[in-house]
Coordinates of all heavy atoms in Angstrom, one line a residue:
K180 N 86.7 115.5 88.3 CA 85.9 115.3 89.6 C 85.9 113.8 89.9 O 86.1 113.4 91.1 CB 84.4 115.8 89.4 CG 83.8 116.1 90.6 CD 82.5 116.8 90.4 CE 81.6 116.8 91.6 NZ 80.2 117.2 91.3
H181 N 85.6 113.0 88.9 CA 85.6 111.6 89.0 C 87.0 111.0 89.5 O 87.1 110.2 90.4 CB 85.4 110.8 87.7 CG 84.1 110.9 87.1 ND1 83.8 111.2 85.8 CD2 82.9 110.8 87.7 CE1 82.5 111.2 85.6 NE2 81.9 110.8 86.8
W182 N 88.1 111.6 88.8 CA 89.4 111.2 89.2 C 89.8 111.5 90.6 O 90.3 110.6 91.4 CB 90.3 112.0 88.2 CG 91.8 111.7 88.4 CD1 92.7 112.3 89.2 CD2 92.5 110.7 87.6 NE1 93.9 111.7 88.9 CE2 93.9 110.7 88.0 CE3 92.1 109.7 86.6 CZ2 94.9 109.8 87.5 CZ3 93.1 108.9 86.1 CH2 94.5 109.0 86.6
E183 N 89.4 112.8 91.1 CA 89.8 113.1 92.4 C 88.9 112.3 93.5 O 89.4 112.0 94.6 CB 89.6 114.6 92.6 CG 90.8 115.3 92.0 CD 90.7 116.8 92.0 OE1 89.6 117.4 92.3 OE2 91.7 117.4 91.6
F184 N 87.7 112.0 93.2 CA 86.9 111.2 94.0 C 87.5 109.9 94.3 O 87.7 109.4 95.5 CB 85.4 111.1 93.4 CG 84.5 110.1 94.1 CD1 84.0 110.6 95.4 CD2 84.2 108.9 93.7 CE1 83.1 109.8 96.1 CE2 83.3 108.1 94.5 CZ 82.8 108.5 95.7
T185 N 87.9 109.2 93.2 CA 88.5 107.8 93.3 C 89.7 108.0 94.1 O 90.1 107.1 95.0 CB 88.6 107.2 91.9 OG1 87.4 107.3 91.2 CG2 89.1 105.8 92.0
Y186 N 90.6 108.9 93.8 CA 91.9 109.0 94.4 C 91.7 109.3 95.9 O 92.5 108.8 96.8 CB 92.8 110.1 93.8 CG 93.7 109.6 92.7 CD1 93.2 109.1 91.5 CD2 95.1 109.4 93.0 CE1 94.0 108.4 90.6 CE2 95.9 108.7 92.0 CZ 95.4 108.3 90.8 OH 96.2 107.6 89.9
G187 N 90.7 110.1 96.3 CA 90.5 110.4 97.7 C 90.2 109.2 98.5 O 90.9 109.0 99.6
I188 N 89.4 108.3 98.0 CA 89.0 107.1 98.8 C 90.0 106.0 98.7 O 90.5 105.4 99.6 CB 87.6 106.6 98.3 CG1 86.5 107.7 98.6 CG2 87.3 105.3 98.9 CD1 85.2 107.4 97.9
N189 N 90.6 105.8 97.4 CA 91.3 104.6 97.2 C 92.9 104.8 97.5 O 93.5 103.7 97.8 CB 91.3 104.1 95.7 CG 90.0 103.6 95.4 OD1 89.0 103.6 96.1 ND2 89.8 103.0 94.2
I190 N 93.3 106.0 97.6 CA 94.8 106.1 98.0 C 95.0 107.2 99.0 O 95.9 107.0 99.9 CB 95.6 106.3 96.6 CG1 97.1 106.1 97.0 CG2 95.4 107.7 95.9 CD1 97.4 104.6 97.3
T191 N 94.4 108.3 99.0 CA 94.6 109.3 100.1 C 94.1 108.7 101.4 O 94.9 108.7 102.4 CB 93.8 110.6 99.8 OG1 94.1 111.1 98.5 CG2 94.0 111.6 100.9
G192 N 93.0 108.0 101.4 CA 92.5 107.3 102.6 C 93.6 106.3 103.2 O 94.0 106.4 104.4
P193 N 94.0 105.4 102.3 CA 95.1 104.5 102.9 C 96.3 105.2 103.4 O 97.0 104.8 104.3 CB 95.3 103.6 101.6 CG 94.0 103.6 100.9 CD 93.5 105.0 101.1
F194 N 96.7 106.2 102.7 CA 97.9 107.1 103.2 C 97.6 107.6 104.7 O 98.5 107.4 105.6 CB 98.2 108.3 102.2 CG 98.8 109.5 103.0 CD1 100.0 109.4 103.5 CD2 98.1 110.7 103.1 CE1 100.5 110.5 104.3 CE2 98.6 111.8 103.7 CZ 99.9 111.6 104.3
L195 N 96.5 108.2 104.8 CA 96.0 108.8 106.2 C 96.1 107.7 107.2 O 96.5 107.8 108.4 CB 94.8 109.5 106.1 CG 94.7 110.7 105.2 CD1 93.3 111.2 105.1 CD2 95.5 111.9 105.7
F196 N 95.4 106.6 106.8 CA 95.4 105.4 107.8 C 96.8 104.8 108.1 O 97.0 104.5 109.3 CB 94.4 104.3 107.4 CG 92.9 104.6 107.8 CD1 92.1 105.4 106.9 CD2 92.4 104.2 109.0 CE1 90.8 105.7 107.3 CE2 91.2 104.5 109.3 CZ 90.4 105.3 108.6
C197 N 97.6 104.6 107.1 CA 98.8 104.0 107.2 C 99.7 105.0 108.2 O 100.4 104.5 109.0 CB 99.6 103.9 105.9 SG 99.1 102.4 105.0
Q198 N 99.7 106.2 107.9 CA 100.5 107.1 108.6 C 100.2 107.1 110.2 O 101.1 107.0 111.0 CB 100.3 108.6 108.1 CG 101.2 109.5 108.8 CD 100.8 111.1 108.5 OE1 99.7 111.4 108.6 NE2 101.8 111.8 107.9
R199 N 98.9 107.2 110.5 CA 98.5 107.2 111.9 C 98.6 105.8 112.5 O 99.1 105.7 113.7 CB 97.0 107.6 112.0 CG 96.8 109.2 111.8 CD 95.6 109.5 111.1 NE 95.5 111.0 110.9 CZ 96.0 111.7 110.0 NH1 96.7 111.1 109.0 NH2 95.8 113.1 109.9
A200 N 98.4 104.7 111.8 CA 98.7 103.4 112.4 C 100.1 103.1 112.6 O 100.4 102.6 113.6 CB 98.1 102.4 111.3
L201 N 100.9 103.5 111.7 CA 102.4 103.4 111.8 C 103.0 104.0 113.1 O 103.8 103.4 113.8 CB 103.1 103.8 110.6 CG 104.5 103.3 110.2 CD1 104.5 101.7 110.3 CD2 105.0 103.9 109.0
R202 N 102.4 105.2 113.4 CA 102.8 105.9 114.7 C 102.6 104.9 115.9 O 103.5 104.8 116.7 CB 102.1 107.2 114.8 CG 102.6 108.3 113.8 CD 101.7 109.6 114.0 NE 102.1 110.5 113.0 CZ 101.2 111.3 112.4 NH1 99.9 111.3 112.8 NH2 101.5 112.2 111.4
I203 N 101.4 104.4 115.9 CA 101.1 103.6 117.1 C 101.9 102.3 117.0 O 102.4 101.9 118.1 CB 99.5 103.2 117.0 CG1 98.7 104.4 117.1 CG2 99.2 102.2 118.1 CD1 97.1 104.2 116.8
M204 N 102.0 101.6 115.8 CA 102.7 100.3 115.8 C 104.2 100.4 115.9 O 104.8 99.6 116.6 CB 102.3 99.7 114.4 CG 100.9 99.3 114.3 SD 100.5 98.8 112.5 CE 98.7 98.3 112.8
K205 N 104.7 101.5 115.5 CA 106.2 101.7 115.7 C 106.5 101.8 117.2 O 107.4 101.2 117.7 CB 106.8 102.9 114.9 CG 107.1 102.6 113.4 CD 107.4 103.8 112.7 CE 108.8 104.4 112.9 NZ 109.0 105.5 112.1
A206 N 105.6 102.5 117.9 CA 105.9 102.8 119.3 C 105.7 101.4 120.1 O 106.4 101.2 121.1 CB 104.9 103.8 119.7
K207 N 104.8 100.6 119.6 CA 104.7 99.3 120.4 C 105.5 98.1 119.8 O 105.7 97.1 120.4 CB 103.2 98.9 120.5 CG 102.6 98.2 119.2 CD 101.1 98.0 119.3 CE 100.8 96.9 120.3 NZ 99.4 96.5 120.2
G208 N 106.2 98.4 118.8 CA 107.1 97.4 118.2 C 106.5 96.3 117.5 O 107.0 95.2 117.4
Y209 N 105.2 96.4 117.1 CA 104.5 95.3 116.5 C 103.4 96.0 115.6 O 102.6 96.8 116.0 CB 103.8 94.4 117.5 CG 103.1 93.3 116.8 CD1 103.8 92.0 116.5 CD2 101.7 93.4 116.5 CE1 103.0 91.0 115.8 CE2 101.1 92.4 115.8 CZ 101.7 91.2 115.5 OH 101.1 90.2 114.8
G210 N 103.1 95.4 114.4 CA 102.0 95.6 113.6 C 101.9 94.9 112.4 O 102.9 94.5 111.8
R211 N 100.6 94.9 111.8 CA 100.4 94.3 110.5 C 99.5 95.2 109.7 O 98.4 95.5 110.3 CB 99.7 93.0 110.7 CG 100.5 91.9 111.5 CD 101.3 91.2 110.5 NE 102.2 90.2 111.2 CZ 103.3 90.3 111.7 NH1 103.8 91.6 111.9 NH2 104.0 89.3 112.3
I212 N 100.0 95.7 108.6 CA 99.1 96.5 107.7 C 98.9 95.8 106.4 O 99.8 95.3 105.8 CB 99.8 97.9 107.5 CG1 100.0 98.7 108.8 CG2 99.0 98.7 106.4 CD1 100.8 100.0 108.6
I213 N 97.6 95.6 106.0 CA 97.2 95.0 104.8 C 96.4 95.9 103.9 O 95.5 96.5 104.3 CB 96.4 93.7 105.1 CG1 97.3 92.7 106.0 CG2 95.9 93.0 103.9 CD1 96.6 92.4 107.3
N214 N 96.9 96.2 102.7 CA 96.3 97.0 101.8 C 95.7 96.2 100.7 O 96.3 95.5 100.0 CB 97.4 98.0 101.2 CG 98.0 99.0 102.3 OD1 97.2 99.4 103.2 ND2 99.2 99.4 102.1
M215 N 94.4 96.7 100.4 CA 93.7 96.0 99.3 C 94.0 96.7 98.0 O 93.5 97.8 97.7 CB 92.2 96.0 99.4 CG 91.8 95.1 100.7 SD 92.4 93.5 100.8 CE 91.6 92.8 99.3
A216 N 94.8 96.0 97.1 CA 95.1 96.6 95.8 C 94.2 95.9 94.8 O 93.0 95.7 95.2 CB 96.6 96.2 95.4
S217 N 94.5 95.6 93.6 CA 93.7 94.9 92.6 C 94.5 94.4 91.4 O 95.6 95.0 91.1 CB 92.7 95.9 92.0 OG 92.0 95.3 90.9
V218 N 94.1 93.4 90.8 CA 94.7 93.0 89.6 C 94.8 94.1 88.6 O 95.8 94.2 87.8 CB 93.9 91.7 88.9 CG1 92.6 92.1 88.5 CG2 94.7 91.0 87.8
A219 N 93.9 95.0 88.7 CA 93.9 96.2 87.8 C 95.2 97.1 87.9 O 95.6 97.8 87.1 CB 92.7 97.0 87.9
G220 N 95.7 97.0 89.2 CA 97.0 97.8 89.5 C 98.2 97.2 88.8 O 99.2 97.9 88.7
H221 N 98.1 95.9 88.4 CA 99.2 95.3 87.6 C 99.0 95.5 86.2 O 99.9 95.7 85.5 CB 99.2 93.7 88.0 CG 99.6 93.3 89.3 ND1 100.9 93.7 89.8 CD2 99.0 92.6 90.3 CE1 101.0 93.2 91.0 NE2 99.8 92.5 91.4
V222 N 97.7 95.2 85.7 CA 97.6 95.1 84.3 C 97.0 96.3 83.6 O 96.8 96.4 82.3 CB 96.8 93.8 83.9 CG1 97.3 92.6 84.4 CG2 95.3 93.9 84.4
G223 N 96.5 97.3 84.5 CA 95.8 98.6 83.9 C 94.4 98.3 83.8 O 93.9 97.2 84.0
G224 N 93.7 99.4 83.7 CA 92.2 99.4 83.7 C 91.7 99.0 82.3 O 92.0 99.6 81.3
L225 N 90.9 98.0 82.3 CA 90.2 97.6 81.1 C 88.7 97.6 81.4 O 87.9 98.4 80.9 CB 90.5 96.2 80.6 CG 90.3 95.8 79.2 CD1 90.7 96.9 78.2 CD2 90.8 94.4 78.9
T226 N 88.2 96.7 82.3 CA 86.8 96.7 82.7 C 86.7 97.9 83.7 O 85.6 98.5 83.7 CB 86.4 95.4 83.4 OG1 87.4 95.0 84.3 CG2 86.3 94.3 82.3
S227 N 87.6 98.2 84.5 CA 87.5 99.3 85.4 C 88.1 100.5 84.9 O 88.9 100.5 83.9 CB 88.3 98.9 86.8 OG 89.6 98.7 86.5
G228 N 87.7 101.7 85.4 CA 88.3 103.0 85.0 C 89.8 103.1 85.2 O 90.4 102.4 86.1
V229 N 90.4 104.0 84.5 CA 91.8 104.3 84.5 C 92.2 104.8 85.9 O 93.2 104.6 86.5 CB 92.2 105.2 83.4 CG1 93.7 105.6 83.6 CG2 92.1 104.5 82.0
D230 N 91.2 105.7 86.5 CA 91.4 106.2 87.8 C 91.6 105.0 88.9 O 92.5 105.0 89.6 CB 90.3 107.2 88.1 CG 88.9 106.6 88.1 OD1 88.7 105.4 87.3 OD2 87.9 107.0 88.6
Y231 N 90.7 104.2 88.8 CA 90.7 103.0 89.6 C 92.0 102.3 89.6 O 92.7 101.9 90.6 CB 89.5 102.0 89.4 CG 89.5 100.8 90.2 CD1 89.0 100.9 91.6 CD2 90.0 99.6 89.7 CE1 89.0 99.8 92.4 CE2 89.9 98.5 90.6 CZ 89.4 98.6 91.9 OH 89.4 97.4 92.7
A232 N 92.4 101.9 88.4 CA 93.6 101.0 88.1 C 94.9 101.8 88.6 O 95.7 101.2 89.3 CB 93.7 100.8 86.7
T233 N 94.9 103.0 88.4 CA 96.1 103.7 88.8 C 96.2 103.9 90.3 O 97.2 103.9 90.8 CB 96.3 105.2 88.2 OG1 95.0 106.0 88.4 CG2 96.5 105.0 86.6
T234 N 95.0 104.0 91.0 CA 95.0 104.1 92.5 C 95.5 102.8 93.0 O 96.2 102.7 94.0 CB 93.6 104.4 93.2 OG1 92.7 103.4 92.7 CG2 93.3 105.8 92.8
K235 N 95.2 101.7 92.4 CA 95.6 100.4 92.9 C 97.0 100.1 92.5 O 97.8 99.4 93.3 CB 94.7 99.3 92.2 CG 93.2 99.4 92.7 CD 93.1 99.3 94.2 CE 91.7 99.4 94.8 NZ 91.6 99.3 96.1

Side-chain angles (χ1 to χ4, degrees):
K180 203 173 165 194
H181 288 134
W182 182 270
E183 287 179 346
F184 175 75
T185 306
Y186 266 71
I188 297 168
N189 289 10
I190 196 69
T191 305
F194 150 64
L195 295 170
F196 274 90
C197 280
Q198 185 192 57
R199 284 146 177 84
L201 202 55
R202 287 179 188 143
I203 299 170
M204 291 171 174
K205 276 172 75 173
K207 76 185 289 190
Y209 180 88
R211 296 278 181 272
I212 299 176
I213 298 120
N214 292 330
M215 296 307 296
S217 168
V218 64
H221 290 301
V222 303
L225 190 60
T226 48
S227 61
V229 172
D230 54 341
Y231 179 78
T233 54
T234 59
K235 294 304 186 179

